[in-house]
Amino acid sequence: MTSIDALVRLCPPPSEAPPAVDWAETERALGVPLPDDYKRLVEAYGSGVFDETVWLLAPDPDRPDHDLLAQRAERDEILESLWDIGEERPEELEEPGARVVPWAFEEGSGAFLYWLVRPGSHPDTWPVLYNEGRGPLWERHGPGCAAFLHAVLTGTADTAYFGCLYEVRKPAAHRFEAVAAALGE
């Protein structure tokens, strides 16, 4: 069973299929290919929120706050300005050509989940990086956004974050809401 299969069993996607994505155009605009599990995740769920906590970004120019491309540009600008004023840059980004690409964010915290994109590395091997958003701390996790999401939702992720999911919300059943439904549109 793949990580996507396990996630779908744990947290069913919406019954209505999300809009189709032009992956070739999206990857051209980003300047990098995307991991296969992310594409499958977006094709199954679309943009939205898992357990009112983790917002999945997807290509959606009508919703800049949830759009993969808009958030990549915004996060690049924000991170560069923080690093320019002296916030410590993650060591992994000292490698020439290395960069981060956001794929999700945590509700209400300012925290983002990124891929660590390194020159010559295959997208399916990109590690997940968690940045706390309101501070300089970064956590590194193994590759696979679907595997990481599954671990977060089941409480098995080796992370200092997402505690509110189990300390406050304590979900008996996991839920995904498409962005329009979550925002009451």
Side-chain angles (χ1 to χ4, degrees), residues 52-146:
E52 299 177 354
T53 302
V54 182
W55 287 88
L56 178 64
L57 300 174
D60 185 354
D62 295 332
R63 290 185 167 75
D65 289 346
H66 301 93
D67 177 51
L68 178 69
L69 297 166
Q71 284 303 308
R72 199 277 325 262
E74 183 177 308
R75 299 311 307 163
D76 283 353
E77 186 177 309
I78 288 168
L79 290 173
E80 281 303 321
S81 72
L82 289 170
W83 296 330
D84 285 347
I85 63 170
E87 187 171 295
E88 191 171 325
R89 182 183 189 108
E91 186 177 307
E92 293 97 342
L93 293 177
E94 297 303 325
E95 177 182 353
R99 62 182 170 140
V100 291
V101 174
W103 60 270
F105 64 92
E106 184 180 6
E107 173 66 30
S109 71
F112 270 79
L113 290 161
Y114 297 89
W115 292 292
L116 172 59
V117 179
R118 299 175 65 209
S121 64
H122 190 277
D124 294 339
T125 67
W126 294 345
V128 169
L129 295 180
Y130 176 97
N131 175 246
E132 67 179 336
R134 295 192 176 119
L137 300 179
W138 291 76
E139 270 186 356
R140 183 184 174 127
H141 299 275
C145 54

Side-chain angles (χ1 to χ4, degrees), residues 138-154:
W138 291 76
E139 270 186 356
R140 183 184 174 127
H141 299 275
C145 54
F148 182 76
L149 275 173
H150 186 268
V152 165
L153 296 180
T154 58

